[in-house]
Amino acid sequence: MTAAGLVVRSAVVRYDDDAPRGRRRAEPTTAVAGVDLEVADGEILALLGPSGCGKSSLLRAVAGLEPLAGGSVTFDGQDLAGVPVHRRGFGLLFQDGQLFAHRSVARNVSYGLEVARVPRAEQAARVRELLAAVGLAGYGERDVSTLSGGERQRVALARALAPRPRLLLLDEPFSALDRALRERLAVDVRDVLRATGTTAIFVTHDHDEANTVADRIAVMSAGRLLQVAPPQELWRAPASREVAEFLGYQAFVPDGDGWLAVAPAGLRVLDGAPGAATRGEWAARVVGSTFRRGRVEVTVDTDLGGGPQRLVALTGTVELPAVGARVVVGLDPGGTAVVPR
Amino acid sequence: MNRTRLGWGVAVALPLAFLGVFFAWPVAALVGRGFVADGGGVDLGGLRDVLGSPRTWRLVGITLAQAAAGSVGSVLLGLPVAYLLYRTRFPGRAVLRGLVTVPFVLPTVVVGVAFRSLFRADGPLGWAGLEETFVGVVVALVFFNVSVVVRTVGGLWERLDPRAEQAARALGATPQRAFRTVTLPALGPAIASAAAVVFLFCATAFGVVLVLGGLGYGTIETEIYRRTTQFLDLRTAAVLSILQLVVVTGALFAAARARGRGERALHLEQEDVAAHRWSARRASDVGAAAATVVVVGVLIVLPLAGLVGRSFRGPDGAWTLANYRALGTTGGRNALSVTVWEALGTSLRTALIATAIAVVVGGLVALVVSRRPRARAARRAVGLLDAVVMLPLGVSAVTVGFGFLITLDRPLGLNIDLRTSGLLVPAAQAVVAVPLVVRTVLPVLRAIDPRLRQAAAVLGAPPGRVLRDIDLPIALRSLGLAIGFAFSVSLGEFGATAFLARPDSATLPVVIFRLIGRPGAENYGMALAASVILAAITAACVMLAERLRQDRGAGAVGGEF
């Protein structure tokens, strides 16, 4: 089978750390512990996981910046073992851009083209085209030190895309930016990647970002992949309780052979008298409430069957219930998922 | 990949070969002579005799005391100056920074002559009775080294995030307490590192001690010189060299430890944003300014002004240009084989070659040491190289010079005599200058985020191209300063050159030393005038280098190099 695109088989990445003081040898740290992954031509895959789960290490191994301690990375059927970083034809976008401070914006973007000895006129045209694509038309002669954080990341994106990489690797590209900018850039990046038909791996620890940008999401934890699926499917059917917990499911009600996982928006405060809770309804006590994004979120103490827990429920009203009030909560079918045990 | 390996191989082999032939081998050969009996075979008698002699331990004591006093003095006087020059802003700061740097690059012989004219019975400080005393020598050493402390500590202080101290103040700490509990610990590694380097310089000082200390005063270094040149007692000299090496290695080790801790994650700002405008209402600003006035005025300006002033006076005290006119002669009673101007020409030529060698060798070392290889063994090797290239700073220049004489007549069995080729003096000076080049360029290369190189590599740049496009433009910013340092150090090098330069190709420092050793007021006056010329050239070239660096720094971004 010669698959188009990227194929990672049983990849292992280890770090040879310095021995701590007083000890002769350090145990090597295993950051990636046998990962299988495929990214099809033109696909955008998000690598989602908590910090320290090995997702950046996996990305760096694909780029050729970390050697594989085991397994293989192939692209369009070609084994990349022994192919140095600069011959892989990939693009990489770092968290903080890593712009070349001694070059102008245009000369940053054209760097990959200069290295590839693209004729000058063509370089200039490509730089103009990309700066326009990332919304920075006319910024070419600017000094990179005069740019804002968001602008720097746009330049870094244009620089990475300029040589038309076969695969673009994005390593938490927006995590240093503020929330509003992050959300806007995520949309922009998706549009640019779609428009250019670029195959990409996008590392992030933010679900919303992954949902916005990716065709499929790979959830990673402790060096292993837990599940790879399109965003809706992942949300609807988490493969395990661990995946569901990472996605933000807050409670797990025993349900047959598995769990009924309750999402943050899966619990509602119902109208009706306390004490009259029927099946699918539970009595709860209000601990506190906040007004968030236009809705009231109530923190309640309740027991859904898995022991007493402190959970968040939504209300249909805009009034804040009093602390200590007794209420009834129920599930919203749209906010739950069945998770195999 | 193989070409890359080859490239790194050359980058490691070239400096090692240079330092091997022109440093390790001569030193080892000289030291070895001390332990080889006349008929061959090991003779440890020298070790027993020298270590058993009370004179040796007196010399060791004086050396350590001199180095300790010099370091403590430099740190105490350097800290307030570092604060003023790197933590506050005021008009004329750049000039003052340049002025404070000058002493460090002044030739030791010149400093010796300057302080001698200050301490002489008829000099401005004659009343203090410092001539040929321990205190006099220490004062001159502090003059030299205060700038090391100011630069090392100031460089870090300038970029220290002021918000940590502000947080401490907000938590209720007094300014003194915030300084003691937050700022001082953060500066600790830099202070320790500077102190260790100063200790090293003070322990191996040669020119200053020889000129200022007089005959009754001696350290290990001057004793090695006397033993070899006056008594041809190689055995004793070799043992003393080893003793010195022990002291020096200890200081270097302490410095490396301190530097290593300095690379801990301190929160550093871009240069200079942490400085505030100088204010007469801040007690710390006023105190630092007062201390700086004393340091700069008494310690730096007074001796230099005194030197310049006396160089324009005749033996009778009248103002005259006679001393400068005499520079075209060979001195009273033909004290010299060449005129002073001829010696200056030799000095400049030699220093140019030495600088070229030092910049190539030191640049390669800095490049190699700036990398953090993946394999643990390679990381250790890099760390070792880092420490080894610092050794020439501490090994007696006299040892190096004398070692050259006994090894390089027919190096490696080749039928060439390097001693007459004219390359020997530049090579010796380059050995002394290499550590300074490394220390100037290395921090700049280390500060490059490795991901910047990775970004270039991912964009398709092969390793050589990454070096050219990323490392080189950034390293060039410090290269001007490195060249300036290397040139002035080569120009002023005295210990090794004193051994190697033949009378007809003597350099300026050698000529100056010879002049003050000869009787006659005319020769002394010539020595003063020649010192002024030498000081002016070295100071000008360091000020120029410093200026280049600042221009680059300010316009660093955006410019093509």
Side-chain angles (χ1 to χ4, degrees), chain A residues 292-332:
Chain A
R292 211 168 134 194
R293 291 187 170 193
R295 293 205 286 191
V296 174
E297 283 183 14
V298 186
T299 308
V300 295
D301 279 341
T302 184
D303 183 353
L304 302 185
Q309 260 189 303
R310 185 156 290 184
L311 301 171
V312 173
L314 299 177
T315 67
T317 64
V318 292
E319 280 149 45
L320 300 178
V323 171
R326 304 215 161 260
V327 294
V328 173
V329 294
L331 296 180
D332 178 345

Side-chain angles (χ1 to χ4, degrees), chain A residues 161-226:
Chain A
L161 286 173
R164 296 194 170 84
R166 316 191 271 178
L167 173 68
L168 182 64
L169 307 165
L170 304 102
D171 191 1
E172 308 217 20
F174 314 132
S175 61
L177 306 175
D178 64 63
R179 186 183 185 88
L181 194 57
R182 215 157 62 204
E183 287 175 358
R184 208 168 66 232
L185 268 179
V187 174
D188 289 354
V189 164
R190 183 196 57 201
D191 294 347
V192 170
L193 292 180
R194 288 261 185 287
T196 51
T198 307
T199 312
I201 301 181
F202 185 102
V203 164
T204 179
H205 60 261
D206 182 309
H207 321 123
D208 295 336
E209 225 167 77
N211 288 333
T212 308
V213 176
D215 298 313
R216 281 193 306 152
I217 297 177
V219 180
M220 195 164 175
S221 171
R224 294 175 189 282
L225 284 191
L226 301 179

